Amino acid sequence: MRSAARLYAVQALFQMEHSNQTVDRVRKEFEDHRFGATYEGDEMIEGDVDLFRALCETAVSHQARIDQMTDRALVAKWPIARIDPTLRALFRAAGAEMTGQDTPPRVVITEFVDVARAFFPEGREPSFVNAVLDHMAREARPEAF
């Protein structure tokens, strides 16, 4: 359920940026219509609602700090504004968990690399995500390394 909450948080953050909706509106939509819903015969998994809410709200309220942390992890020619919006949402959700939760950073990295694999099963993005999140984790929680 925690893994599903992370995936849903990335989707919600992407949707908020793409459609200019508020965190409350998107959160309610996900909780009411996506968690455990059935689409075209496929049943969506339930998610940890508390983690989902915490990731979305922390990502929004601390977006500037998380984006700055992400920028420092990216190469100078690729600031966060230039990367794929799905990756941007992923980095914001992962950054929210690194800075606002007690989850060990290595667990956060592993979980969000798995989320990247779900979105980009054939690409190099999971390796890229791993490298960026490792850098972010060392900045956010250096005592864990």
Side-chain angles (χ1 to χ4, degrees):
M1 286 180 53
R2 293 179 64 81
S3 295
R6 292 176 178 103
L7 179 74
Y8 289 140
V10 171
Q11 291 174 324
L13 292 169
F14 174 89
Q15 183 174 325
M16 285 186 312
E17 180 178 340
H18 183 69
S19 62
N20 230 6
Q21 294 177 332
T22 66
V23 67
D24 292 330
R25 184 170 186 191
V26 171
R27 182 181 47 79
K28 182 167 176 30
E29 176 188 329
F30 271 75
E31 291 174 18
D32 292 349
H33 302 291
R34 301 229 185 152
F35 282 40
T38 302
Y39 292 104
E40 299 176 10
D42 294 326
E43 187 174 334
M44 306 296 284
I45 193 166
E46 287 290 337
D48 180 324
V49 175
D50 293 334
L51 179 60
F52 171 75
R53 287 177 181 173
L55 294 179
C56 290
E57 290 170 16
T58 303
V60 169
S61 63
H62 297 286
Q63 182 175 324
R65 176 180 175 218
I66 293 167
D67 284 359
Q68 289 168 359
M69 221 171 41
T70 306
D71 273 338
R72 288 189 289 274
L74 296 168
V75 235
K77 294 182 181 180
W78 290 100
I80 194 167
R82 287 188 63 192
I83 64 171
D84 180 274
T86 303
L87 290 176
R88 196 166 38 245
L90 186 148
F91 292 139
R92 288 174 177 157
E97 189 162 3
M98 284 180 201
T99 59
Q101 301 288 317
D102 293 331
T103 311
R106 293 177 201 270
V107 172
V108 175
I109 293 167
T110 300
E111 288 287 326
F112 280 98
V113 167
D114 286 346
V115 170
R117 282 191 189 105
F119 287 112
F120 306 99
E122 304 296 323
R124 296 183 184 175
E125 288 85 355
S127 296
F128 174 65
V129 165
N130 186 58
V132 171
L133 292 182
D134 182 70
H135 189 280
M136 290 172 66
R138 290 175 189 277
E139 179 180 333
R141 309 256 299 273
E143 73 285 355
F145 293 91

